[in-house]
Amino acid sequence: MQRRNFTTVSGHVSSSYAPQLESPVGAISKKSKLLAFSSMLSLLAALLVSINTGGQELETGGTLRSAAQAQRFLVGAAAELKPLETDPAYAQTLAREYNVLTAENAMKFEALRPTRSRFAFADADKILDFTTAHGMKLRGHTLVWHHQLPRWLVDGNFSSDEVSAILREHIETVIGHYRGRVYAWDVVNEAIDDQGGLRQTFWSNMLGSDYIAQAFTLARAADPQATLLYNDYGGEALGVKSEAIYGLLKSLKERGVPIDGIGLQSHFLLEQPPRMSEVAANIRRLAALGLEIQITELDVRMLMPPNETKLQDQAQIYRAYLDACLVVANCNTFVTWGFTDKYSWIPQFFPGNGAALPFDQAYRQKPAYHALLQALNNSHRR
Ligand code: XIL
């Protein structure tokens, strides 16, 4: 039953196939005309088979990056500096397959701010240099979050006014440092709890619920060109959490708070995937608020070990999710949380789970990779 949902937003035969049906340029003999005609027929037959099966086995080759570029779409991955510097296959694959990166940890509060007065941009800057060298975009992650905060901050016994000043200097300094070079920021991360209430955190306890609006206002002033997003997990399909997130964003928009979009983290479970029909409906209603939608941290974890059936089912989820984004003009970015199972955060945070990404530990392309490439090649966005 669930699987039917994955395929409701099906792919189409790509118009990029059309050029292959054109006759070769220049004068050609009768024999070669015949040959051309018969190969045209077999191509047509292949196309018809594809149409009957929803076009899903079509894959015109290329890379995720080239396929996305042709759709004016961003496809990306979260990246870490260490493997970027030590594992050549890591850097090569990133540069070949993606046109946008997110720093998986290097731009978090704890990483950027070892002490109150010192900002440490060196590692994040190296990730920025890599994206610049390879003509990729860089997303900023994340300014206001309750995890990965430094001890000097949470144990500092600061007053509310002091915390407010620290947050202001953080947003101004970090966004200021990357102005014009980081095109989008996850300004506030995970502010809604799993019951749909305002999450009780260091920030909400110190500053009250208005810290969210304040953060966006400060971010806009620091870089008026950057796309500013609210980012969260578990609000992809319909339900109490996505309802609360929708309500929050709607009220921020109504109050004139400068927010441009929503990041759907999308940490999915193979055994319990979201209903894609609900995801599609949620994406549509968020787009109707005038928000940009970015898929920011997708992975689809499974109970280990993987097998062929699980990997195929996983590929269906990847495909259906990308399809659901591609059909909405406002959904313009699709980022996975890492790209190779070799460095995924999943085994450490969800013991017994893994194999969540489109490349395996040896950088081999998994069925999920081919599903993404097919979805991009079959899309009619452009
Ligand atoms: C995770 C990283 O992947 C880990 O390496 C780190 O130890 C903890 O954070 N939601 C987010 C991300 O917004 O920043 C988290 O990243 C995963 C969940």
Side-chain angles (χ1 to χ4, degrees):
M1 270 320 278
Q2 283 285 55
R3 279 193 64 180
R4 189 160 294 162
N5 284 323
F6 306 153
T7 51
T8 47
V9 197
S10 68
H12 302 282
V13 176
S14 170
S15 55
S16 63
Y17 258 56
Q20 297 186 21
L21 292 172
E22 284 165 10
S23 325
V25 191
I28 40 174
S29 69
K30 254 190 182 164
K31 195 178 165 197
S32 62
K33 264 186 187 163
L34 247 175
L35 272 176
F37 183 64
S38 71
S39 63
M40 246 176 73
L41 278 183
S42 47
L43 248 177
L44 255 176
L47 273 177
L48 283 174
V49 171
S50 301
I51 290 164
N52 284 337
T53 56
Q56 296 202 340
E57 66 288 316
L58 281 184
E59 182 172 315
T60 56
T63 63
L64 298 180
R65 180 176 182 155
S66 60
Q69 214 80 31
Q71 309 278 350
R72 293 191 207 93
F73 189 77
L74 294 173
V75 64
E80 291 274 42
L81 183 60
K82 198 166 167 220
L84 204 53
E85 290 185 328
T86 57
D87 183 347
Y90 185 89
Q92 282 158 13
T93 310
L94 278 177
R96 187 185 71 230
E97 297 290 344
Y98 300 104
N99 55 12
V100 61
L101 296 186
T102 304
E104 185 168 343
N105 288 294
M107 290 188 177
K108 290 174 181 173
F109 207 119
E110 163 187 79
L112 288 184
R113 233 162 146 189
T115 70
R116 178 168 180 181
S117 56
R118 195 166 81 82
F119 284 80
F121 288 115
D123 285 4
D125 285 356
K126 287 185 195 156
I127 295 179
L128 172 67
D129 290 345
F130 179 81
T131 59
T132 310
H134 295 282
M136 309 161 102
K137 286 180 176 274
L138 183 60
R139 304 184 72 264
H141 176 83
T142 175
L143 294 162
V144 194
W145 191 29
H146 57 286
H147 282 308
Q148 292 175 277
L149 292 174
R151 292 250 66 98
W152 66 259
L153 177 60
V154 286
D155 296 342
N157 289 316
F158 293 111
S159 68
S160 291
D161 283 350
E162 285 170 316
V163 170
S164 183
I166 290 168
L167 183 61
R168 169 186 287 272
E169 74 202 19
H170 190 73
I171 291 175
E172 287 175 350
T173 309
V174 175
I175 296 199
H177 181 80
Y178 290 109
R179 187 168 31 235
R181 303 187 295 169
V182 164
Y183 81 103
W185 281 98
D186 295 331
V187 177
V188 176
N189 199 29
E190 302 180 356
I192 301 290
D193 67 25
D194 295 349
Q195 289 71 46
L198 181 72
R199 189 185 290 276
Q200 297 302 304
T201 67
F202 172 77
W203 300 113
S204 65
N205 292 338
M206 294 304 295
L207 303 175
S209 62
D210 215 45
Y211 81 91
I212 300 173
Q214 287 163 16
F216 279 98
T217 304
L218 290 166
R220 178 68 96 230
D223 184 352
Q225 306 302 324
T227 301
L228 306 179
L229 298 108
Y230 173 78
N231 192 51
D232 213 331
Y233 70 89
E236 294 84 12
L238 301 176
V240 62
K241 187 155 179 179
S242 70
E243 207 61 43
I245 292 170
Y246 177 81
L248 169 69
L249 301 189
K250 187 165 185 285
S251 83
L252 290 175
K253 287 288 280 184
E254 282 165 3
R255 287 170 56 194
V257 174
I259 176 168
D260 303 308
I262 168 138
L264 299 174
Q265 288 187 12
S266 316
H267 295 291
F268 295 160
L269 287 78
L270 177 72
E271 298 80 13
Q272 239 180 298
R275 286 180 197 280
M276 286 300 161
S277 53
E278 293 186 10
V279 169
N282 192 37
I283 289 178
R284 280 196 302 270
R285 74 172 170 171
L286 290 163
L289 285 181
L291 294 172
E292 189 173 300
I293 294 105
Q294 301 192 1
I295 310 306
T296 52
E297 305 183 15
L298 174 63
D299 46 25
V300 182
R301 62 183 181 263
M302 60 180 69
L303 289 171
M304 295 298 275
N307 59 37
E308 195 47 35
T309 309
K310 291 185 193 177
L311 293 173
Q312 291 297 340
D313 289 351
Q314 180 185 53
Q316 293 302 318
I317 298 172
Y318 269 93
R319 179 203 312 276
Y321 199 43
L322 180 51
D323 278 340
C325 176
L326 285 166
V327 296
V328 176
N330 282 20
C331 190
N332 53 24
T333 306
F334 195 86
V335 176
T336 52
W337 205 238
F339 65 100
T340 162
D341 293 333
K342 188 173 181 182
Y343 301 112
S344 167
W345 73 306
I346 293 295
Q348 192 195 333
F349 281 79
F350 304 94
N353 290 259
L357 291 165
F359 290 84
D360 73 8
Q361 303 212 16
Y363 294 96
R364 283 183 298 248
Q365 298 165 346
K366 293 160 65 178
Y369 172 88
H370 296 287
L372 293 179
L373 186 54
Q374 287 162 7
L376 286 168
N377 281 332
N378 292 353
S379 164
H380 291 296
R381 267 177 91 84
R382 84 214 107 169

